[in-house]
Amino acid sequence: MTTYREALREGIRDAMRRDDRVFLMGEDVGAYGGCFGVSLGLLEEFGPDRIRDTPLSESAFVGAGIGAAMAGMRPIVEIMTVNFSLLALDQILNNAATLRHMSGGQVGVPLVIRMTTGAGRQLAAQHSHSLEGWFAHIPGLRIVAPATLEDARGMLWTALLDPDPVLLFENGALYPMAGDLAADAGPVDIDHAAVRRPGTDMTLVTYGGSLGKCLDAAGQLAAEGVSAEVIDLRTLRPLDDTTFVESVRRTHRAVVVDEGWRTGSLSAEVSARITEQAFEDLDAPVERVCSAEVPMPYAKHLEDAALPQPAGIVAAARKVVNGGG
Amino acid sequence: MNTAIAKYHTDLLRQMVRIRKFEEICVELYSATKIRGFLHLYVGEEAVAVGVLNGLTADDAVVSTYREHGHALARGLSMQSVMAEMFGRTSGCSRGRGGSMHLFDVKRRFYGGNAIVGGGLPLAVGIGLADRLRDSVRVTACFFGDGAVAEGEFHECMNLAALWKLPVLFCCENNRYAMGTALARAQAQTDLALRASSYGMPAWAVDGMDVVAVEEATRRAVETIRGGAGPCFLELRTYRFRAHSMYDSDRYRDKAEIARWKERDPIDALIRRMQTAGELTDDALKALHREVDDELQRAVAAADAGPLEPAGDLTRFVYAEQS
């Protein structure tokens, strides 16, 4: 058995061994072993030059990662949570995403930024938000979100081979997720969405921490005689709309599940693309299941109520299938 | 007269005159609407760019600001490629996508003008980190203004560079105003070198109107950095003779202050010094001006005739292109 956390660690270890230009830096990645234990043991293996603890200076060390990438290195920068990435937003948007364009193609930023996103651990409003949809708004970035052990293990290496900045969002609720991972698991494609469960009656489009909930919901729906197809977006920018639009053309119904807030969200983008490209194939309006429009609360029952849950996904699926109720 | 010194001074003078005349013609071209957008002129600060860049080698890196025409020219970018960029042409050094505030020339290790105040500091720290990880002796010079000292990134970067002993030369162009806000109206401690030294790095305040002094200080700092001591900080005390940008009516400075600083014009000061030492005849000075005027005219003509990037190529250079 392997956990999501261990799969990520193996991905980092593999990258460090393959390419001596790769190094990891961030808060507590070294001596502490990573806030979520992802980099545990790597300092001993690779030393303090390559597993580099940083001060609490998100803007400086994310920007330093950008500079090092411009100068030929392949940095992996860890930001403890997506909320802290806001202190580095200037560097991510105004430098990483724009330097290539502003320089007329001269400056590339082959950098990977990893960060934790999402709720479900009672960490309240400053450690629980899902802001990957914001970053997916920005041209010049690639946004990926591993939802499975295979992707946790394999996305990093593919991301490091990308000549452009890649932001990798790890849903915090997934770190302890355990399962079997093939010993030879390696790099994975980050260009395409994946069909995680085939179905014929409706399509659930999701990513990251909501994938498991959608698979649960699909199981419940199967017991009711509804065959739900579950699509894992995997890459949030650029969106592989071919896969989900093609699915909706077959099933004629769609529910988009996104841990981000509903207003102006990634789910809105997915829904719009379905409407733009497959309107005539739809038998019902696209439904969305998102987080409630509140800062994430601490109390467990409130947090659960704020997040997309299998029951809500099932209800939305029934609505598109039965035209309500 | 020492001919070697005379030649050296003549070269410094030529570089400063090139920048001055470039900026002056930009004013005309802006009024003629050939150049648009924000235009931040460097007039008065020429000794800083020329002094610092003469103290570096071609292998060292430069990170610049939005007031960077002087840095770019002193780094060796051609007038033509810089002017074409301001005209928004394909022949510009950033293919018309950067404009006045984003001049790039990676072949010359010129990593661009950054229009976010303080935004280039982390990049310089990162380029320095890459060099340090490769045991290189290269130095990264990072320009920023006194306004950037108020940004959090300044403090984060001073700390990080000093903590990791990175080969970065911080070049603070203290022209006394952050746009329209005088240093003392925005900073509790106006001795900027003192503030940098609190991070444990060597820091010097330098007369930024004296090109020779700037170059000497740069060489001393670069030698210290190459020796492995970590970063150094230069506070280059200078003054911009013109407004912050073409949109600025310059209401926040009194004319007497500007006049006082103009008496210390770095170009006039060097000319006086050379004339006193018998290093510069009137004819030589005239010839130098003529030579720069010719270069400038050719650059403007070429920029004006330069092709526009096809609008069909609008979305290029957002991501790497497949080779």
Side-chain angles (χ1 to χ4, degrees):
Chain A
M1 293 282 273
T2 304
T3 62
Y4 184 85
R5 169 186 290 120
E6 289 161 354
L8 288 164
R9 185 187 307 143
E10 281 313 303
I12 298 170
R13 179 179 278 132
D14 174 53
M16 302 280 295
R17 285 179 178 161
R18 280 176 194 245
D19 186 343
D20 61 14
R21 296 174 303 173
V22 174
F23 65 98
L24 172 71
M25 69 175 159
E27 293 151 350
D28 274 332
V29 299
Y32 189 94
C35 177
F36 299 100
V38 170
S39 51
L40 200 64
L42 297 180
L43 175 66
E44 291 72 18
E45 188 173 347
F46 296 103
D49 262 6
R50 297 187 69 199
I51 303 293
R52 188 167 277 265
D53 278 319
T54 64
L56 309 183
S57 303
E58 285 82 2
S59 194
F61 71 74
V62 171
I66 297 166
M70 285 161 62
M73 302 300 282
R74 291 293 179 274
I76 305 167
V77 176
E78 177 177 313
I79 300 177
M80 219 179 261
T81 83
V82 68
N83 300 75
F84 306 166
S85 76
L86 305 184
L87 286 99
L89 197 52
D90 165 56
Q91 287 297 321
I92 296 170
L93 170 55
N94 284 320
N95 281 333
T98 51
L99 279 163
R100 186 183 293 281
H101 194 74
M102 289 193 306
S103 68
Q106 294 180 73
V107 177
V109 183
L111 162 79
V112 175
I113 303 174
R114 298 173 39 240
M115 63 184 109
T116 308
T117 187
R121 294 165 297 150
Q122 289 194 258
L123 299 178
Q126 292 181 343
H127 283 69
S128 297
H129 288 140
S130 292
L131 303 179
E132 53 276 5
W134 284 9
F135 289 97
H137 181 63
I138 302 171
L141 303 179
R142 182 193 276 265
I143 309 298
V144 299
T148 66
L149 297 179
E150 287 75 16
D151 281 359
R153 174 72 179 77
M155 275 186 171
L156 180 68
W157 180 247
T158 321
L160 282 165
L161 294 178
D162 197 302
D164 293 308
V166 181
L167 273 56
L168 195 145
F169 286 87
E170 302 162 7
N171 192 289
L174 298 181
Y175 285 125
M177 177 175 77
D180 291 322
L181 180 64
D184 63 350
V188 297
D189 160 35
I190 56 172
D191 290 327
H192 298 99
V195 178
R196 298 295 186 197
R197 176 181 173 128
T200 53
D201 297 332
M202 55 97 42
T203 300
L204 290 167
V205 184
T206 191
Y207 68 92
S210 299
L211 175 62
K213 294 172 181 176
C214 286
L215 290 168
D216 279 0
Q220 289 180 44
L221 289 163
E224 297 175 14
V226 174
S227 166
E229 179 147 295
V230 179
I231 296 203
D232 174 6
L233 291 171
R234 301 173 75 240
T235 294
L236 312 184
R237 185 182 188 102
L239 271 176
D240 170 19
D241 43 17
T242 308
T243 299
F244 64 78
V245 168
E246 190 271 335
S247 171
V248 175
R249 286 203 177 110
R250 277 188 288 105
T251 66
H252 310 294
R253 297 165 182 91
V255 173
V256 189
V257 182
D258 177 3
E259 205 176 309
W261 291 297
R262 183 188 184 92
T263 304
S265 64
L266 195 69
S267 68
E269 178 65 28
V270 171
S271 172
R273 292 203 194 187
I274 292 171
T275 310
E276 285 161 358
Q277 297 177 46
F279 182 73
E280 310 225 319
D281 296 294
L282 284 173
D283 284 348
V286 177
E287 282 287 317
R288 290 188 282 155
V289 181
C290 301
S291 282
E293 307 249 338
V294 294
M296 197 56 66
Y298 159 73
K300 181 156 193 334
H301 69 292
L302 294 177
E303 187 184 42
D304 286 347
L307 283 170
Q309 299 294 355
I313 299 167
V314 168
R318 283 188 195 130
K319 194 172 167 193
V320 297
V321 171
N322 302 324
Chain B
M1 180 185 79
N2 180 322
T3 44
I5 291 177
K7 191 162 171 294
Y8 161 69
H9 285 160
T10 306
D11 181 51
L12 295 176
L13 180 63
R14 180 182 298 107
Q15 293 186 57
M16 289 200 291
V17 170
R18 285 178 79 232
I19 296 169
R20 175 71 55 93
K21 286 182 180 275
F22 185 91
E23 299 294 58
E24 283 170 346
I25 209 159
C26 281
V27 176
E28 291 171 30
L29 292 164
Y30 198 86
S31 303
T33 71
K34 292 286 188 183
I35 299 174
R36 298 278 80 196
F38 279 139
L39 180 69
H40 307 93
L41 299 172
Y42 201 62
V43 177
E45 304 188 28
E46 295 89 348
V48 173
V50 172
V52 168
L53 286 161
N54 271 38
L56 302 178
T57 70
D59 214 24
D60 296 325
V62 181
V63 174
S64 185
T65 67
Y66 54 85
R67 194 184 303 285
E68 90 270 41
H69 311 154
H71 305 149
L73 293 174
R75 187 54 177 178
L77 276 73
S78 71
M79 271 189 187
Q80 198 170 313
S81 73
V82 176
M83 190 59 84
E85 187 58 33
M86 321 248 283
F87 275 59
R89 307 298 164 119
T90 294
S91 44
C93 59
S94 304
R95 298 181 71 122
R97 283 169 175 78
S100 165
M101 298 195 284
H102 307 295
L103 307 172
F104 284 83
D105 189 342
V106 167
K107 276 206 242 26
R108 289 185 173 78
R109 303 206 79 218
F110 190 76
Y111 287 107
N114 205 302
I116 304 295
V117 172
L121 285 151
L123 302 182
V125 167
I127 297 169
L129 174 60
D131 284 332
R132 171 128 171 87
L133 286 167
R134 289 182 294 222
D135 295 322
S136 162
V137 294
R138 301 195 294 199
V139 168
T140 299
C142 180
F143 289 99
F144 52 97
D146 48 285
V149 175
E151 296 278 1
E153 269 176 343
F154 169 82
H155 302 279
E156 293 188 19
C157 289
M158 292 296 111
N159 178 56
L160 204 57
L163 180 74
W164 290 350
K165 299 213 178 308
L166 302 179
V168 180
L169 175 62
F170 293 106
C171 303
C172 179
E173 298 184 309
N174 179 5
N175 66 18
R176 313 173 82 83
Y177 290 90
M179 269 185 70
T181 301
L183 191 63
R185 289 170 67 88
Q187 302 283 342
Q189 170 54 269
T190 56
D191 185 337
L192 305 182
L194 180 68
R195 291 169 69 164
S197 68
S198 79
Y199 287 97
M201 71 178 79
W204 297 284
V206 185
D207 179 359
M209 305 308 264
D210 179 345
V211 65
V212 174
V214 174
E215 188 184 331
E216 279 170 6
T218 303
R219 287 187 187 280
R220 178 157 64 127
V222 164
E223 211 171 287
T224 308
I225 295 167
R226 288 201 218 282
C232 284
F233 181 98
L234 297 180
E235 180 196 340
L236 303 145
R237 293 183 175 165
T238 183
Y239 199 80
R240 60 172 158 73
F241 293 171
R242 287 185 166 271
H244 167 73
S245 76
M246 295 299 286
Y247 286 105
D248 171 8
S249 54
D250 212 352
R251 286 191 296 257
Y252 46 85
R253 308 191 292 188
D254 77 58
K255 291 195 167 52
E257 178 186 292
I258 300 171
R260 264 198 319 277
W261 277 92
K262 281 189 173 172
E263 285 167 19
R264 304 200 46 225
D265 185 314
I267 293 174
D268 293 345
L270 182 59
I271 290 172
R272 280 198 300 272
R273 180 175 177 158
M274 292 174 72
Q275 284 171 335
T276 306
E279 293 168 358
L280 184 68
T281 63
D282 288 350
D283 283 350
L285 184 59
K286 272 187 205 143
L288 188 149
H289 276 289
R290 229 176 8 250
E291 184 194 316
V292 174
D293 287 339
D294 286 350
E295 183 188 10
L296 203 48
Q297 273 177 16
R298 285 196 303 275
V300 173
D304 206 17
L308 293 168
E309 183 91 334
D313 284 350
L314 170 68
T315 58
R316 289 183 67 193
F317 314 123
V318 178
Y319 296 96
E321 297 181 355
Q322 306 296 326
S323 50

